[in-house]
Amino acid sequence: MKALLEYLATSLVDNPEAVEIKERTGRYTVTYQLTVAPDETGKVIGRSGRVAKAIRDLMSVAAARQNKRVHVDIE
Amino acid sequence: MKSIEISARTVSEAIRLALAQLGKDRDEVAIEVLEQGGNGDEALVRVTVVDDDIDETPPRAPSPATGSLEQTARGILEDILERMDIDGYVTAVLSTVPGPRGEPEETITLHIEGADEEAMSLLIGRRGETLRSLQFMVNLIVSRHVQKWPQVVVDVGNYRQRRQESLEGLARRMAERVRQSGRPLMLEPMGAYERRIVHLALRSDPTVYTESSGEGENRKVVIYPAKQS
């Protein structure tokens, strides 16, 4: 799951070195905290959150494959 | 130039058979999808060997950039699927369709086929929502790679065509109801792409006309009885 988030985030920004992902695993839910360079947050959120929604939809598929739920926070 | 037509159960199966028969790689041929297949119909593709023989090469040979565009798109989708833990077989098909102003527009369609039905339906999601997100993401990443905005369509096991057929059927049935009752009828909210399918399905029907109303997520098609003149 983390590999997918990492791939998506680094593919969307100009400064992939600034991408940081923190992972918190609960019993059923995995929470990710995604941080990118401050001036690039817009690239992973998008107009009216379209990019963020796509990231979350795709992450849900990856989570469902492992019978888990996922939560993605974007800082 | 050598060209063969092959039919099979699915587009990607037909392409695989054609490539095997020709003994060529994907990047050595041009692929045209003649029939999408589905609903019991066979898919039909025409595969033409792109000859690099100087004498036979037409003056405006396909630019190498086009080929790499398809490969870039396919590679990105494969990267995503792999990280989702989904086994799928991706076929890229380049086609030219008339754009909104009638000018030709290149579209890359990425067909995903997989044996795991559960995984495939996860990719589609409720009413195709996940598939829309996947397509949006692939378009976004591809455009960052190639510095332009090609049109990339992502399809899973012919879902888009099946959905289109079911929407057209719905449109015709609802139009019939409007004709009989003489009263307008509002359909459920749909995305722009799906509303367009409904509008187009009823455009040639003189007994009704259609309009979209509502905002954003709530936008829906309304079918009206034709105005009496």
Side-chain angles (χ1 to χ4, degrees):
Chain A
M1 260 195 280
K2 192 177 178 182
L4 177 65
L5 185 57
E6 207 164 63
Y7 176 82
L8 297 177
T10 53
S11 303
L12 293 171
V13 298
D14 291 328
N15 185 1
E17 294 82 39
V19 171
E20 239 179 83
I21 297 167
K22 279 191 202 134
E23 184 181 56
R24 249 192 358 259
T25 311
R27 200 189 302 177
Y28 306 108
T29 308
V30 185
T31 305
Y32 290 102
Q33 218 168 63
L34 172 65
T35 320
V36 300
D39 57 328
E40 294 203 287
T41 346
K43 290 189 179 132
V44 288
I45 293 177
R47 192 151 39 89
S48 36
R50 267 189 90 186
V51 181
K53 181 190 182 296
I55 292 176
R56 292 189 175 115
D57 280 354
L58 300 187
M59 285 299 287
S60 296
V61 174
R65 296 293 286 164
Q66 304 180 14
N67 294 313
K68 291 216 169 104
R69 292 170 150 277
V70 70
H71 191 88
V72 181
D73 284 332
I74 300 170
E75 303 278 291
Chain B
M1 272 195 294
K2 195 174 178 188
S3 175
I4 57 170
E5 288 179 17
I6 293 248
S7 61
R9 200 176 52 82
T10 63
V11 170
S12 69
E13 178 69 20
I15 293 171
R16 196 157 56 219
L17 290 171
L19 292 177
Q21 192 164 325
L22 291 167
K24 294 285 177 189
D25 268 340
R26 224 181 271 274
D27 49 7
E28 296 176 292
V29 297
I31 296 167
E32 286 166 85
V33 178
L34 304 174
E35 299 283 344
Q36 288 278 352
N39 287 332
D41 294 332
E42 298 237 291
L44 179 65
V45 299
R46 180 187 296 142
V47 176
T48 307
V49 178
V50 181
D51 220 322
D52 45 11
D53 186 342
I54 295 293
D55 297 336
E56 297 229 359
T57 309
R60 34 171 199 85
S63 67
T66 311
S68 72
L69 186 61
E70 284 159 75
Q71 276 158 24
T72 304
R74 195 177 87 225
I76 288 166
L77 181 56
E78 283 169 347
D79 284 345
I80 293 175
L81 293 179
E82 188 193 318
R83 285 162 180 79
M84 278 176 168
D85 200 14
I86 286 182
D87 282 327
Y89 185 90
V90 182
T91 319
V93 178
L94 185 72
S95 56
T96 308
V97 293
R101 268 161 262 104
E103 76 283 14
E105 252 182 22
E106 287 200 325
T107 301
I108 300 159
T109 306
L110 300 172
H111 293 275
I112 308 171
E113 308 271 355
D116 186 344
E117 295 282 332
E118 197 193 311
M120 294 304 116
S121 63
L122 267 180
L123 281 181
I124 295 168
R126 197 173 51 93
R127 283 199 203 130
E129 192 129 333
T130 308
L131 185 56
R132 257 197 301 282
S133 285
L134 182 59
Q135 174 172 311
F136 177 66
M137 187 59 79
V138 172
N139 271 286
L140 207 56
I141 300 177
V142 169
S143 68
R144 282 185 59 83
H145 271 259
V146 298
Q147 304 296 316
K148 52 180 174 178
W149 276 95
Q151 173 87 6
V152 183
V153 175
V154 180
D155 199 358
V156 175
N158 267 335
Y159 169 80
R160 286 185 188 282
Q161 195 185 350
R162 291 203 315 270
R163 179 75 179 147
Q164 173 168 354
E165 282 162 8
S166 92
L167 281 171
E168 286 167 351
L170 174 83
R172 282 190 293 268
R173 284 193 304 280
M174 294 302 119
E176 178 59 33
R177 253 198 234 176
V178 169
R179 235 183 333 269
Q180 283 177 358
S181 69
R183 275 203 293 254
L185 203 145
M186 198 176 262
L187 303 184
E188 59 185 301
M190 290 174 200
Y193 181 76
E194 305 200 318
R195 290 198 309 273
R196 182 165 181 269
I197 290 172
V198 174
H199 289 307
L200 289 179
L202 297 179
R203 194 169 57 174
S204 58
D205 186 336
T207 64
V208 294
Y209 70 96
T210 57
E211 265 172 19
S212 292
S213 76
E215 293 298 319
E217 295 282 289
N218 250 322
R219 202 156 162 79
K220 45 195 134 190
V221 176
V222 186
I223 306 174
Y224 297 92
K227 290 175 187 122
Q228 303 292 328
S229 51

